[in-house]
Amino acid sequence: MGRQIVHRLLVSFPALLGVLFLCFCLLQVVPADPAMIIAGPDAKAETTAAIRDELGLDRPIPIQFADYIGRVLQGDLGRSIISNKMVSEELALTIGPTVELMLGGMVIAIPLGLALGTLAAVRRGTLLDRAIMAVSVAGVSMPVFFIGLVLIQYMGFQWGLFPFTGRTGPIWDGGLPSLVLPALTLGSVLIGPIARLTRTAVLEVLGADYVRTARAKGLRETVVIIHHALRNAMIPVVTLIGLQAAFLLGGAVVTETMFSWPGVGRLAVGAIVSSDFPTAQGAIMILAIAFLSINLIVDVLYVYLDPRMQRS
């Protein structure tokens, strides 16, 4: 297990470096000059040139990137052009809300997706099976922003069940109601794919010899389904959950913007719109690290769920 984790970390580092370099290059072609933003619209050309030289913006892009990575390795992510705060301080304030939103979406999506998919497999061919699959296809087809708008309109605005603007605080300090609608919006995208793949995987496992043997032993059907069928069907489902959870980061950007949720995604969008390059680069780095970390967790779960990988 330890060697697997070390190997994945060694593979992830070049990928992270490539993502940072690509985003660094893309930010350089944005038609905005950080030196002019700092100096102001009425600054003289000499002042702007001095700021550009101080920030190293007149150097070649590879040298700028090397300097940036050197500062990052020392824990210095730079200073925001707009707020003049340290980027690390702004990220520290937004990582917690993003983690809350991601975990909230997965807590909603994973149990519901597994339960609906397993129920559809057990009731294969019935009206319940067709209804679950229809709802799953509808959930996959609808974009995040549409689901969010519907929830805001009805559950937030008309019925007044939950707040739909901002974050009232951590979930352990009265912030749970404000998390419900953003987490439901984010998690609803994941329920459909999990339910569909769970149904397919469980149907394949239900015909296996060890499931028939478990039934022949007189075990209860609930034990057969949960302990024998569902666990062995989890390997492809874990793959999907890992991939979808990583792509939830993109949905988190949209969700945080819609609900004014103070997370990393909203910070990144605001920084890109305002040409705050240091903050944008820091936010992109955090999102990339989160993406790679989720993939690492999925690989570790493979080893736990499949004993063959432990032996290999």
Side-chain angles (χ1 to χ4, degrees):
M1 179 74 73
R3 286 184 298 179
Q4 175 79 0
I5 295 175
V6 171
H7 177 264
R8 291 297 302 171
L9 288 174
L10 293 176
V11 172
S12 299
F13 183 75
L16 176 61
L17 200 63
V19 170
L20 291 180
F21 181 71
L22 178 61
C23 295
F24 190 88
C25 293
L26 291 176
L27 289 174
Q28 300 302 315
V29 301
V30 174
D33 189 354
M36 293 185 63
I37 297 175
I38 295 174
D42 301 327
K44 296 181 180 180
E46 295 81 5
T47 304
T48 304
I51 295 176
R52 189 178 292 109
D53 179 70
E54 180 182 355
L55 297 178
L57 299 176
D58 53 350
R59 301 176 184 176
I61 291 180
I63 296 178
Q64 292 186 45
F65 181 72
D67 293 340
Y68 174 72
I69 294 299
R71 294 194 302 270
V72 168
L73 293 177
Q74 297 175 6
D76 180 13
L77 300 180
R79 187 178 292 274
S80 171
I81 296 175
I82 304 300
S83 64
N84 200 32
K85 297 180 180 179
M86 297 300 296
V87 174
S88 56
E89 296 178 0
E90 293 195 334
L91 289 174
L93 296 175
T94 56
I95 290 176
T98 296
V99 172
E100 282 184 6
L101 181 58
M102 291 285 296
L103 292 178
M106 295 179 70
V107 165
I108 291 173
I110 294 176
L112 279 177
L114 292 176
L116 291 175
T118 305
L119 186 59
V122 174
R123 304 296 184 184
R124 179 184 181 183
T126 63
L127 180 61
L128 179 61
D129 178 22
R130 291 193 289 270
I132 292 175
M133 289 300 99
V135 172
S136 300
V137 172
V140 173
S141 305
M142 290 186 293
V144 177
F145 67 85
F146 176 77
I147 298 174
L149 290 175
V150 171
L151 293 178
I152 289 174
Q153 175 65 27
Y154 291 100
M155 299 186 68
F157 184 72
Q158 289 190 6
W159 301 337
L161 299 178
F162 301 101
F164 56 90
T165 302
R167 175 175 177 259
T168 57
I171 57 176
W172 59 86
D173 190 21
L176 184 59
S178 62
L179 177 64
V180 172
L181 291 186
L184 188 58
T185 300
L186 193 62
S188 60
V189 182
L190 190 57
I191 294 175
I194 293 178
R196 295 178 65 190
L197 186 58
T198 301
R199 177 183 181 274
T200 303
V202 171
L203 284 176
E204 292 180 358
V205 172
L206 286 177
D209 293 337
Y210 56 84
V211 173
R212 287 194 292 267
T213 302
R215 284 171 172 163
K217 290 180 179 179
L219 296 178
R220 289 182 300 173
E221 188 67 15
T222 304
V223 176
V224 173
I225 296 298
I226 296 178
H227 183 71
H228 293 277
L230 185 58
R231 178 173 179 177
N232 288 280
M234 281 296 294
I235 295 177
V237 178
V238 166
T239 305
L240 176 69
I241 292 175
L243 293 174
Q244 293 291 329
F247 284 109
L248 277 183
L249 293 171
V253 173
V254 179
T255 305
E256 289 176 359
T257 304
M258 291 183 59
F259 290 92
S260 299
W261 191 261
V264 179
R266 186 185 177 206
L267 179 67
V269 172
I272 294 173
V273 170
S274 59
S275 300
D276 189 354
F277 295 160
T279 304
Q281 290 166 356
I284 291 171
M285 182 183 68
I286 293 298
L287 293 175
I289 291 175
F291 190 96
L292 295 172
S293 299
I294 291 173
N295 286 322
L296 175 62
I297 293 172
V298 171
D299 289 340
V300 173
L301 287 176
Y302 281 162
V303 179
Y304 172 74
L305 291 173
D306 193 347
R308 294 171 297 180
M309 296 189 66
Q310 296 178 14
R311 292 192 294 267
S312 62

